[in-house]
Amino acid sequence: MRVAVIPARGGSKRVPRKNVRVFAGKPMIAWAIDAARESGVFDHVVVSTDDLEIRDVAVAAGAEAPFLRPAELSDDHTGTRKVIQHAIAEAERAFGPVDEACCIYATAAFVEPDDLREGLERLVAGHQFAFSATGYAYPIQRALRLAAGGGVEMCQPEHRLTRTQDLEEVFHDAGQFYWGRRDAFLSDEPMFGPLAAPVMIPNWRVHDIDNEDDWKRAEMMFSALGRGAAG
């Protein structure tokens, strides 16, 4: 059985109630639920929350909420891995054995069904984890830092004269979704390692939403892409 796990606690502080705040015509969490359901690869789309309002909004959007997340897994310091492990255990109590799970963040409004399908293909090909990733907008080998005595210095001065096209391409976690085999999630195996595969997302579809400016910018991009709830 394959399950999507959407973590959505009620205590977000920088953008209060952002998981259920209306974004482009729908509660934010509804976009992640829609992508999961439209992908067609999940037997269950489960929301993990400690909050009754979030639970009700998620269920109305088509998710399932067979449990409430305990308070000790709902503070600012709880890692996502522990939340996924708890959700897998609860999903197995409710539905039966889980083979693969995919954590999809509630604020991943830009995630698309094809991204989720591609992540599953990585697992089928033999990887333990697959995750959304995107390239840096500028070569990090040219990064600068403040020097001890004032002014700036290059972090990697050996690349001062290296042509951009000759620099190694690097990327980072896009923070949208994380596929994993059940046993890999339940183990201490690092998410990012030899058995993990990236699913590349264009950087114009990657938006962290940590403050009001982020929210406005993301909504404008969403609209520019022709997305949003009808009416």
Side-chain angles (χ1 to χ4, degrees):
M1 179 175 66
R2 297 186 186 115
V3 296
V5 176
I6 301 178
R9 68 186 183 92
S12 58
K13 295 180 174 62
R14 290 176 293 185
V15 182
R17 310 299 292 171
K18 70 177 179 179
N19 292 323
V20 290
R21 179 174 166 180
V22 173
F23 178 89
K26 287 184 183 182
M28 174 64 87
I29 195 172
W31 296 108
I33 293 169
D34 285 351
R37 296 181 68 200
E38 290 170 17
S39 72
V41 299
F42 298 108
D43 298 290
H44 298 278
V45 177
V46 173
V47 63
S48 169
T49 187
D50 60 324
D51 187 280
L52 294 177
E53 181 192 7
I54 293 176
R55 180 196 66 183
D56 292 346
V57 170
V59 169
E64 298 174 78
F67 60 89
L68 282 175
R69 193 195 311 175
E72 62 267 24
L73 293 179
S74 302
D75 61 25
D76 292 337
H77 305 291
T78 301
T80 301
R81 187 71 164 264
K82 290 184 178 179
V83 173
I84 299 170
Q85 290 171 344
H86 173 263
I88 289 173
E90 292 294 331
E92 291 192 324
R93 285 193 191 93
F95 309 121
V98 170
D99 298 303
E100 298 97 10
C102 183
C103 169
I104 307 171
Y105 281 143
T107 53
F110 290 83
V111 69
E112 295 185 354
D114 282 346
D115 303 329
L116 300 173
R117 296 187 195 106
E118 186 175 345
L120 177 58
E121 289 172 3
R122 298 290 192 272
L123 293 193
V124 172
H127 291 89
Q128 294 295 307
F129 293 109
F131 63 97
S132 57
T134 195
Y136 285 92
Y138 188 82
I140 63 170
Q141 296 90 343
R142 296 280 179 78
L144 304 173
R145 61 187 168 206
L146 293 175
V152 298
E153 61 186 12
M154 291 191 70
C155 296
Q156 299 182 39
E158 66 272 22
H159 290 301
R160 181 172 63 88
L161 300 178
T162 305
R163 298 186 309 167
T164 300
Q165 59 266 40
D166 294 331
L167 294 171
E168 180 184 8
E169 184 180 4
V170 292
F171 54 91
H172 61 87
D173 173 15
Q176 292 186 356
F177 64 87
Y178 307 88
W179 270 102
R181 298 179 185 276
R182 173 197 182 273
D183 292 345
F185 269 134
L186 296 183
S187 74
D188 293 327
E189 183 178 332
M191 173 73 70
F192 306 125
L195 297 178
V199 175
M200 298 305 295
I201 310 293
N203 55 29
W204 44 265
R205 265 208 296 123
V206 176
H207 298 270
D208 285 337
I209 300 179
D210 294 327
N211 55 49
E212 289 296 330
D213 284 346
D214 293 341
W215 186 283
K216 292 174 184 176
R217 187 180 302 110
E219 257 192 328
M220 286 190 289
M221 178 59 79
F222 209 72
S223 176
L225 293 173
R227 300 183 64 181

